[in-house]
Every structure is written in C-alpha cells, then in structure tokens.
Amino acid sequence: MSIAKKITHKAEAMKGSAKKTTGRATGSRRLQAEGRGDQLKGNIKQAGAKIKDAFKH
C-alpha cells in the first residue's frame, strides 16, 4: 500500500476523532455520530491495509 493512501486513511480517522470531540463539546449528537462514523471508516481502512501488507510479504 502506498504511503499516500496510509496517510489518507490516518487523516480520515483523525478527522472523525476531531468531529466527535467537537460534537461532544457543542452537544451536537449529529456531529458526534458523524465523527464516530468517519473515525470507524478510517480505522477499518487502516486495518485492511495492514492485512493486505501482511499477506503481500
């Protein structure tokens, strides 16, 4: 997996974490839910990349 894709997946997870925290601070349940979703999506993509790399070598 390319470095750019790894960085993109990590950035997506971090963006989700920031959204979740902002939603928690402002009391916005919608923003918290979006943040959790984005964070989960980024984490799943990272895990998939790790599995792919493990079988590649």
Side-chain angles (χ1 to χ4, degrees), residues 15-31:
K15 179 183 83 168
S17 178
K19 265 188 181 180
K20 185 173 74 172
T21 302
T22 302
R24 195 176 301 145
T26 60
S28 172
R29 289 180 184 250
R30 182 190 60 80
L31 195 57

Side-chain angles (χ1 to χ4, degrees), residues 2-57:
S2 72
I3 298 288
K5 284 197 180 218
K6 287 182 181 182
I7 291 171
T8 304
H9 299 312
K10 183 68 174 175
E12 187 171 8
M14 290 178 68
K15 179 183 83 168
S17 178
K19 265 188 181 180
K20 185 173 74 172
T21 302
T22 302
R24 195 176 301 145
T26 60
S28 172
R29 289 180 184 250
R30 182 190 60 80
L31 195 57
Q32 282 180 352
E34 279 182 26
R36 277 194 301 270
D38 289 346
Q39 189 176 18
L40 182 63
K41 208 171 10 171
N43 288 339
I44 288 172
K45 287 179 182 180
Q46 284 178 355
K50 287 180 183 178
I51 291 170
K52 186 176 178 181
D53 285 345
F55 285 108
K56 190 175 184 180
H57 297 284

